[in-house]
């Protein structure tokens, strides 16, 4: 079966410090990978998605970046955190494929709670 | 653009009460529809899904029917339990590999 891991689970960082959040998926190959942010009292906002190694699409311009150095690894980074970067960061994966029968649902990791102080 | 609208919470119920959480969507074509559940401090879990009109998704006593004519996907359960307390998200997707479009979530609190 497939599992998705995120770490760290919680993080408290000062404004202006760098950030690196990691997500890995086990039990599948060539997944689509996604980073979402969930701010308090708001829904989920897609930040980045990737359909392959080195292929990153950004949905929201901001001071965050993403990288996919390996097939099942997705990293979210920042050089200098802002207060507004606080939130709950969720990584998700979905099967990759073409044509009919490919499921559209995504499967989420446990999340990282980031507090910028 | 596509959007999902959910009823505002919180929804507070007693154990064994009936639950309905309304969800309507705006989208072109025929998206797939989903309900996700988020327990405190955790990620989202897929609760159920429907991929075409009149499909009924069901899981753990929850069900929802894809209504194309009313663009709705309301979540229902006949008898809620304290363990059902969580945030419920309605979502849609047009194709694999693209973003899920989420509603803002509805908080359910069930007391014994």
């Amino acid at each position: 079966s497939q599992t998705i891991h995120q770490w760290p689970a919680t993080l408290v960082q000062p404004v202006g410090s760098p950030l690196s959040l990691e997500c890995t998926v086990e039990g599948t190959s060539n997944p689509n990978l996604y980073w979402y942010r969930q701010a308090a009292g708001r829904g989920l906002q897609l930040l980045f998605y990737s359909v392959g190694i080195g292929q990153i699409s950004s949905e929201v311009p901001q001071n965050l970046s993403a990288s996919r150095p390996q097939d099942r690894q997705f990293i979210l980074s920042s050089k200098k955190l802002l207060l507004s970067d606080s939130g709950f960061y969720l990584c998700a994966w979905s099967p990759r494929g073409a044509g009919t029968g490919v499921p559209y649902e995504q499967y989420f990791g446990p999340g990282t709670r980031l507090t910028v102080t | 653009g596509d959007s999902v609208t959910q009823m505002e919470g919180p929804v507070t119920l007693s154990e064994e009460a009936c639950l309905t959480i309304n969800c309507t969507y705006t989208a072109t074509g025929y998206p797939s529809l989903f309900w996700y559940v988020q327990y405190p401090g955790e990620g989202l879990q897929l609760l159920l899904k429907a991929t075409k009109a009149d499909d009924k998704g069901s899981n753990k006593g929850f069900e929802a029917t894809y209504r194309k004519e009313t663009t709705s996907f309301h979540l229902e359960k006949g008898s809620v339990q304290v363990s059902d307390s969580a945030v419920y998200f309605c979502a849609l997707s047009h194709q694999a590999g693209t973003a899920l479009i989420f509603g803002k979530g509805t908080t359910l609190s069930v007391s014994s």
Side-chain angles (χ1 to χ4, degrees):
Chain A
S1 64
Q2 301 86 8
T3 55
I4 178 169
H5 304 280
Q6 287 186 246
W7 62 89
T10 60
L11 191 60
V12 180
Q13 293 282 95
V15 168
S17 64
L19 173 73
S20 181
L21 304 182
E22 188 166 343
C23 170
T24 59
V25 181
E26 296 178 354
T28 187
S29 297
N30 304 314
N32 296 316
L33 296 172
Y34 312 83
W35 279 111
Y36 290 86
R37 177 169 59 199
Q38 184 179 25
R42 300 173 64 179
L44 282 84
Q45 178 185 41
L46 179 68
L47 302 176
F48 301 95
Y49 70 94
S50 171
V51 298
I53 296 174
Q55 300 178 62
I56 310 294
S57 296
S58 174
E59 293 293 305
V60 181
Q62 58 212 329
N63 69 320
L64 298 173
S65 62
S67 62
R68 183 170 178 174
Q70 300 180 40
D71 180 49
R72 289 169 290 176
Q73 185 184 32
F74 205 22
I75 297 173
L76 183 69
S77 304
S78 174
K79 293 182 179 179
K80 290 186 177 181
L81 283 168
L82 306 173
L83 285 174
S84 58
D85 291 324
S86 293
F88 193 46
Y89 288 81
L90 289 159
C91 182
W93 75 274
S94 67
R96 193 193 310 174
T100 60
V102 178
Y104 294 4
E105 61 263 32
Q106 296 174 15
Y107 301 94
F108 287 79
T112 295
R113 175 76 59 192
L114 172 65
T115 303
V116 182
T117 60
Chain B
D2 297 347
S3 65
V4 175
T5 303
Q6 290 181 237
M7 59 187 292
E8 296 286 332
V11 174
T12 303
L13 296 172
S14 298
E15 204 166 25
E16 300 183 2
C18 296
L19 169 72
T20 299
I21 299 178
N22 291 334
C23 171
T24 58
Y25 67 92
T26 301
T28 57
Y30 298 88
S32 291
L33 302 174
F34 307 92
W35 278 100
Y36 282 84
V37 58
Q38 184 178 32
Y39 298 101
E42 299 183 7
L44 276 70
Q45 299 177 26
L46 178 63
L47 182 59
L48 54 84
K49 68 178 182 181
T51 59
K52 61 183 186 295
D54 299 325
D55 265 2
K56 178 185 284 188
S58 61
N59 186 25
K60 299 181 180 178
F62 292 91
E63 59 182 34
T65 301
Y66 190 143
R67 301 289 188 197
K68 181 65 177 176
E69 64 276 13
T70 56
T71 62
S72 64
F73 193 53
H74 305 321
L75 183 67
E76 299 177 327
K77 187 174 186 183
S79 176
V80 295
Q81 306 300 313
V82 172
S83 57
D84 293 328
S85 298
V87 181
Y88 292 81
F89 291 92
C90 185
L92 69 81
S93 176
H94 271 293
Q95 64 184 73
T98 62
L100 287 170
I101 307 300
F102 285 92
K104 292 187 176 181
T106 302
T107 299
L108 170 65
S109 179
V110 181
S111 59
S112 58

